[in-house]
Amino acid sequence: MMKRLPLGKAFTLMESGPVVLVTTRYGGKSNIMTISWTMVVDFTPLFAMTTGPWNHSYAALRRSRECVIAIPTVDLLDRVVGIGTCSGADTDKFKKFGLTPVKGKLVGPPLIRECLANIECNVIDIVKKHNIVVLEGVAAYYDGSRKEKRTLHAMGDGSFVADGRKLDRRKMMRSKLPDGV
Amino acid sequence: MMKRLPLGKAFTLMESGPVVLVTTRYGGKSNIMTISWTMVVDFTPLFAMTTGPWNHSYAALRRSRECVIAIPTVDLLDRVVGIGTCSGADTDKFKKFGLTPVKGKLVGPPLIRECLANIECNVIDIVKKHNIVVLEGVAAYYDGSRKEKRTLHAMGDGSFVADGRKLDRRKMMRSKLPDGV
């Protein structure tokens, strides 16, 4: 079950560079794209992602100025790749990939129930010169009841790595962590 | 031993979102910062990273318009965290952390011999509004002789995850991969 996560912790969902699904909604249609070109830009949180007119979702993103970043886990890999290799122009991806849209609180595009985490975002800027979209997270959710919590990282050559061993350096890092994290 | 990697494959070094070390050089002094807020922006390759005046390296980056992205592995974790929690203003980080600077071919900042991969970069733009620095990779190196190849991913809370199990989806992804990758 998805529970609200304090916004001040939402950047931690993206910091490790996982492959994400990004949902958009425009003209009564929801769509999903797979993207790994993202980064955190600020703890508040702000995120950047690289996308442009070559993605069908870009028009919806530009027009609605909203999206949801949904973070999938290892068990969803084939759906993540499938979503990334077909187009919303001719496919209802929620239907095709058996994913459940969940209404968000603050934005129109849906959360994805099957994902580990979801972040509702507003588009606050598009740096056209570099195809960089800047997003502000406005609500975040985490499904702590899910057994599989390993996220995926794309290697860029068609292979992926799952999260492996966890290494704790919280004490050494304390001076660099924002309050409450 | 570091060997040249074709530039067309350099984006694959960064695609998974690893924690990286970024070296700069200005006024005869080399420095290193730890950064996980990076992303690929283009296959050519272009990268974006978030940094600003709060990092001592930023002045060198802005003035020299050059840097090297060095990609460390799990065995270097304590040095990666150490580098990220002290300042080049009062510390020679190569010396303090026992890292070996290696002269690059095309830029002034040094590669780091102990890292798995290095990418020489030019700063091609700074999007001041968002503290986003856009980099063009101009030479890339990979040390395939290294046994430990697992990179690190920051969780943002002072913990890290190492690369885990590798999952091959090259066939499914073929249509999305650039030639030669």
Side-chain angles (χ1 to χ4, degrees):
Chain A
M1 215 190 65
M2 280 192 278
K3 289 195 174 164
R4 285 293 283 271
L5 185 76
L7 264 187
K9 288 187 176 179
F11 80 95
T12 65
L13 302 171
M14 292 291 287
E15 179 97 4
S16 73
V19 177
V20 300
L21 301 174
V22 175
T23 77
T24 49
R25 186 169 178 80
Y26 187 73
K29 285 176 70 178
S30 297
N31 193 18
I32 319 175
M33 65 177 157
T34 299
I35 202 155
S36 59
W37 293 3
T38 71
M39 68 176 174
V40 180
V41 174
D42 196 11
F43 295 116
T44 48
L46 297 180
F47 307 104
M49 92 182 152
T50 302
T51 181
W54 58 87
N55 278 327
H56 183 71
S57 296
Y58 183 70
L61 197 65
R62 201 164 46 81
R63 287 173 187 148
S64 72
R65 313 286 292 187
E66 296 177 337
C67 66
V68 168
I69 298 172
I71 303 178
T73 45
V74 174
D75 50 312
L76 297 173
L77 175 58
D78 287 325
R79 290 194 255 187
V80 167
V81 174
I83 288 164
T85 50
C86 69
S87 172
D90 53 22
T91 311
D92 177 340
K93 298 197 195 180
F94 276 96
K95 200 170 169 186
K96 177 166 181 179
F97 297 102
L99 296 171
T100 315
V102 176
K103 209 174 154 17
K105 298 243 187 291
L106 298 170
V107 303
L111 322 184
I112 300 177
R113 186 185 302 282
E114 287 76 10
C115 283
L116 175 65
N118 284 270
I119 310 170
E120 297 184 42
C121 295
N122 287 321
V123 173
I124 62 162
D125 199 11
I126 298 181
V127 183
K128 285 208 177 131
K129 188 177 170 189
H130 301 294
N131 301 303
I132 293 173
V133 177
V134 183
L135 304 171
E136 177 177 23
V138 292
Y141 308 82
Y142 185 78
D143 183 355
S145 68
R146 225 176 174 295
K147 272 179 201 157
E148 180 59 82
K149 293 194 177 74
R150 291 175 301 160
T151 66
L152 290 159
H153 303 268
M155 301 299 289
D157 64 353
S159 65
F160 295 80
V161 283
D163 287 343
R165 199 152 67 93
K166 201 161 177 178
L167 304 149
D168 186 343
R169 293 297 183 279
R170 288 182 66 86
K171 267 187 202 164
M172 278 179 81
M173 288 282 293
R174 191 63 259 170
S175 66
K176 289 287 185 175
L177 304 176
D179 288 343
V181 171
Chain B
M1 215 190 63
M2 280 194 277
K3 288 195 177 166
R4 285 292 282 273
L5 185 76
L7 264 187
K9 289 188 176 180
F11 81 94
T12 64
L13 302 171
M14 293 291 286
E15 178 97 4
S16 73
V19 177
V20 300
L21 302 174
V22 175
T23 76
T24 49
R25 185 167 178 83
Y26 188 73
K29 285 176 69 177
S30 298
N31 193 18
I32 319 174
M33 64 176 158
T34 298
I35 202 155
S36 59
W37 292 2
T38 71
M39 67 176 173
V40 180
V41 174
D42 196 10
F43 295 116
T44 49
L46 297 180
F47 307 105
M49 94 183 153
T50 302
T51 182
W54 58 87
N55 277 328
H56 183 70
S57 296
Y58 182 70
L61 197 64
R62 201 164 48 80
R63 287 174 188 147
S64 73
R65 313 286 292 187
E66 295 177 335
C67 67
V68 169
I69 299 173
I71 303 178
T73 44
V74 173
D75 49 313
L76 297 173
L77 175 58
D78 287 325
R79 290 194 254 185
V80 167
V81 174
I83 287 164
T85 49
C86 70
S87 173
D90 53 21
T91 310
D92 177 341
K93 297 196 195 180
F94 276 96
K95 200 170 168 183
K96 177 165 182 180
F97 296 102
L99 295 171
T100 314
V102 176
K103 208 173 154 19
K105 298 242 185 290
L106 297 171
V107 304
L111 321 184
I112 300 177
R113 186 184 301 281
E114 288 75 11
C115 283
L116 174 65
N118 284 269
I119 309 169
E120 298 185 41
C121 295
N122 287 320
V123 173
I124 62 163
D125 200 11
I126 298 180
V127 184
K128 285 208 176 130
K129 188 177 170 189
H130 302 294
N131 301 302
I132 293 174
V133 177
V134 182
L135 304 171
E136 178 177 22
V138 291
Y141 309 82
Y142 185 78
D143 184 355
S145 67
R146 224 175 175 296
K147 272 180 205 157
E148 179 59 83
K149 293 194 178 74
R150 290 175 301 160
T151 66
L152 291 159
H153 303 268
M155 301 299 290
D157 64 353
S159 65
F160 295 81
V161 284
D163 287 342
R165 198 152 69 92
K166 199 160 176 178
L167 304 150
D168 185 342
R169 291 299 183 277
R170 287 182 66 86
K171 267 188 204 164
M172 279 179 80
M173 289 282 291
R174 191 62 258 173
S175 66
K176 288 290 185 174
L177 304 176
D179 289 341
V181 171

